[in-house]
Amino acid sequence: GWFYDEDTWEEPFTLQSLLNQSLREDNQVDLYAKFTEKSYDYQVTFKGFEKIGDEYVTKISASVTKFSLADKIILGDNLTCILSKDENFSEVLSPDAILLDERQNIVYVKVINTYGQNKIYTLRIEKTDAVTVTFDTEGGSYIPDQLVEYGMYAVRPAETPERYGYIFLNWDFDFSTPITQDTEIRAI
């Protein structure tokens, strides 16, 4: 808004205030603009991650050496992001192929809006001695991955995957089979 005073912002400029204001000898009036920073709602989803404190955490099999975040970071309209393993973003990462260390991996995600404002999120990728079971819905709705202890069993998802124009029949897997390696189960 516009104000007559720039320190306290208590005298707003209005048409009525202009009529009541006495002009200087040069017929000029000093006005000051007060700007407030536009706040922006960052609509970001990290698919397969759980928010724990200030971080988003996922667990993956210890055998995974390369991890993709390309399909796991869902950004709202007019948002872009940059990934890095350091908070200063001195080394930018590709979301398609992040090389992982032995146990814990931190990835910083800087989300930038159209005004150049940004917000930084912390993703923690933890390796476990478990194996990962993924569900391929052939382009249908997302079914979350499962982390299964070596030699244990995957759990049939409670959700039925949906895909326009198709009817889900079953999974191409016998859920009474112990899981001993990373496994992909397909919808049929």
Side-chain angles (χ1 to χ4, degrees):
W2 291 95
F3 291 83
Y4 289 107
D5 59 320
E6 69 175 322
D7 296 325
T8 61
W9 307 106
E10 293 177 0
E11 296 179 49
F13 170 75
T14 64
L15 180 58
Q16 186 62 43
S17 69
L18 180 61
L19 295 174
N20 296 335
Q21 181 75 19
S22 57
L23 298 176
R24 295 189 318 233
E25 288 180 19
D26 59 2
N27 288 329
Q28 300 290 318
V29 174
D30 290 331
L31 294 176
Y32 302 94
K34 179 179 180 185
F35 295 94
T36 55
E37 188 173 333
K38 178 178 171 54
S39 64
Y40 192 86
D41 182 26
Y42 292 85
Q43 296 175 339
V44 181
T45 302
F46 299 107
K47 194 162 53 170
F49 285 77
E50 178 183 359
K51 186 163 179 22
I52 299 175
D54 292 336
E55 297 180 334
Y56 291 83
V57 180
T58 192
K59 295 178 188 262
I60 61 171
S61 169
S63 63
V64 176
T65 58
K66 206 184 287 185
F67 191 72
S68 174
L69 287 169
D71 63 339
K72 293 175 177 37
I73 300 175
I74 312 299
L75 300 174
D77 293 339
N78 301 315
L79 296 176
T80 58
C81 73
I82 300 171
L83 309 177
S84 181
K85 282 200 171 187
D86 67 276
E87 291 180 89
N88 298 321
F89 292 85
S90 59
E91 183 184 337
V92 175
L93 301 173
S94 165
D96 296 316
I98 297 171
L99 297 176
L100 300 177
D101 297 330
E102 287 300 314
R103 275 297 196 212
Q104 288 193 20
N105 294 271
I106 302 290
V107 176
Y108 297 97
V109 181
K110 182 188 289 188
V111 177
I112 307 160
N113 66 24
T114 54
Y115 303 105
Q117 300 166 318
N118 64 71
K119 185 171 183 179
I120 297 176
Y121 297 88
T122 304
L123 304 183
R124 181 181 301 275
I125 304 164
E126 296 180 354
K127 290 185 168 188
T128 69
D129 292 329
V131 292
T132 303
V133 176
T134 56
F135 296 91
D136 182 355
T137 60
E138 302 288 331
S141 57
Y142 175 72
I143 301 295
D145 296 349
Q146 293 180 12
L147 209 55
V148 179
E149 284 186 50
Y150 181 90
M152 299 306 287
Y153 305 92
V155 177
R156 180 183 301 276
E159 311 92 39
T160 300
E162 296 179 10
R163 181 176 172 198
Y164 183 77
Y166 292 83
I167 296 172
F168 171 74
L169 299 175
N170 207 344
W171 297 104
D172 72 345
F173 184 77
D174 177 3
F175 286 89
S176 65
T177 304
I179 303 291
T180 58
Q181 64 186 13
D182 290 342
T183 304
E184 181 178 78
I185 300 174
R186 295 183 189 276
I188 52 174

